[in-house]
């Protein structure tokens, strides 16, 4: 049974209930800083596995992790290089997702598809931020749609595909910009753009050298 909630009806008590549900392993659909996301506690392997099952997502496709505080990142990654720090200082919080080498035995392997790296994005406003902040855990939040379907920006589509499959579904209305975050990785002191989204290559080139995937 999915609990439906209108974002405009959420008060502090409801926010606390939903954030604690995330912490306890429940699956919650909510508006992120880009599109609707399907959120779960990134520390909870069972919840992360359930995300894959609900979306019918291939296990070789890793999940993006949302964090609400930069201090959380330092607990999850091996190090932050000077260029990674420049990207953080310039684009975070915001729609730039950065792939870092993860600390061992901290996050479940399923998140990274057994890769040595995990992708992170810092958020600092909106419903997703408040949920992550109150839950005090990193949150995996792939787009709220079944694999192969359009990105989760239309609430009618989100409800049609996920009603009865998730624990909470927060209705914030349609999202009129379905652009996704840009995903990058730093290698040999250059930025590799793995997926170009809202933040374009020329903006990144203003602060760091960029290497294309073909060069990489």
């Amino acid at each position: 049974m999915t609990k439906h909630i209108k974002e405009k009806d959420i008060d502090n008590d409801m926010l606390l209930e939903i954030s604690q549900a995330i912490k306890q392993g429940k699956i919650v659909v909510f508006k992120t800083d880009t599109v609707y996301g399907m959120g779960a506690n990134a520390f909870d392997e069972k919840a992360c596995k359930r995300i894959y099952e609900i979306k019918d997502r291939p296990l070789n496709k890793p999940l993006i992790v949302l964090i609400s505080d930069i201090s959380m990142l330092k607990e999850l990654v091996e190090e932050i290089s000077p260029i990674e720090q420049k990207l953080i200082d310039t684009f975070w919080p915001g729609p730039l997702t950065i792939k870092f080498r993860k600390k061992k035995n901290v996050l479940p392997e399923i998140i990274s598809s057994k890769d040595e790296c995990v992708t992170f994005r810092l958020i600092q406003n909106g419903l997703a931020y408040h949920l992550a902040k109150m839950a005090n855990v990193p949150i995996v939040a792939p787009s709220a749609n079944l694999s192969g379907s359009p990105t989760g920006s239309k609430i009618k589509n989100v409800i049609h595909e996920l009603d009865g499959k998730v624990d909470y579904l927060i209705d914030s209305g349609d999202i009129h910009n379905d652009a996704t975050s840009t995903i990058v990785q730093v290698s040999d002191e250059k930025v590799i753009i793995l997926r170009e989204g809202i933040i374009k290559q020329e903006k990144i080139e203003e602060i760091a050298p960029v290497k294309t995937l073909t060069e990489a």
Side-chain angles (χ1 to χ4, degrees):
M1 178 76 70
T2 298
K3 186 169 184 177
H4 289 252
I5 303 166
K6 295 278 189 181
E7 182 180 356
K8 64 181 177 61
D9 296 332
I10 295 177
D11 57 17
N12 284 337
D13 289 343
M14 181 60 69
L15 198 61
L16 180 61
E17 176 188 330
I18 300 168
S19 62
Q20 290 307 300
I22 290 173
K23 192 168 188 175
Q24 293 162 10
K26 303 297 185 183
I27 309 298
V28 179
V29 170
F30 51 80
K31 180 182 177 181
T32 72
D33 54 339
T34 52
V35 295
Y36 276 97
M38 190 189 305
N41 182 351
F43 289 133
D44 190 320
E45 184 174 11
K46 186 176 179 181
C48 294
K49 185 177 180 182
R50 193 172 157 211
I51 290 274
Y52 278 93
E53 292 170 348
I54 292 170
K55 282 180 64 71
D56 194 22
R57 184 183 180 94
L59 288 173
N60 63 355
K61 195 173 181 182
L63 299 174
I64 289 173
V65 179
L66 303 181
I67 55 173
S68 59
D69 194 292
I70 196 69
S71 63
M72 193 175 284
L73 181 71
K74 295 171 183 176
E75 299 172 4
L76 302 172
V77 305
E78 283 287 345
E79 64 177 359
I80 300 173
S81 72
I83 289 184
E84 288 167 343
Q85 189 62 54
K86 286 180 74 174
L87 291 170
I88 288 170
D89 293 342
T90 305
F91 297 111
W92 276 12
L96 183 74
T97 302
I98 306 175
K99 192 171 184 180
F100 295 91
R101 187 179 298 275
K102 66 183 180 183
K103 281 187 177 175
K104 292 182 179 178
N105 304 317
V106 178
L107 291 169
E109 288 292 311
I110 193 170
I111 288 177
S112 58
S113 301
K114 299 185 178 180
D115 189 5
E116 60 186 13
C117 297
V118 174
T119 51
F120 293 91
R121 185 163 83 253
L122 177 71
I123 51 173
Q124 273 195 334
N125 55 61
L127 179 61
Y129 166 72
H130 291 295
L131 289 172
K133 189 74 172 176
M134 291 186 77
N136 196 31
V137 293
I139 294 177
V140 293
S143 60
N145 60 295
L146 303 182
S147 291
S149 296
T151 302
S153 59
K154 303 294 184 185
I155 188 61
K156 184 173 77 171
N157 294 345
V158 172
I159 293 171
H160 174 71
E161 291 194 344
L162 300 178
D163 189 24
K165 299 177 181 178
V166 301
D167 299 295
Y168 289 80
L169 198 157
I170 302 172
D171 180 352
S172 301
D174 287 346
I175 297 173
H176 298 290
N177 180 3
D178 63 357
T180 53
S181 68
T182 296
I183 303 176
V184 300
Q185 181 176 13
V186 176
S187 177
D188 298 325
E189 299 187 347
K190 290 186 177 180
V191 180
I192 302 170
I193 298 176
L194 303 175
R195 181 185 76 190
E196 188 173 66
I198 295 175
I199 297 174
K200 303 304 180 185
Q201 179 174 329
E202 51 267 30
K203 281 292 182 185
I204 297 172
E205 287 176 331
E206 290 175 6
I207 65 156
V210 171
K211 180 166 58 174
T212 66
L213 275 175
T214 52
E215 293 174 330

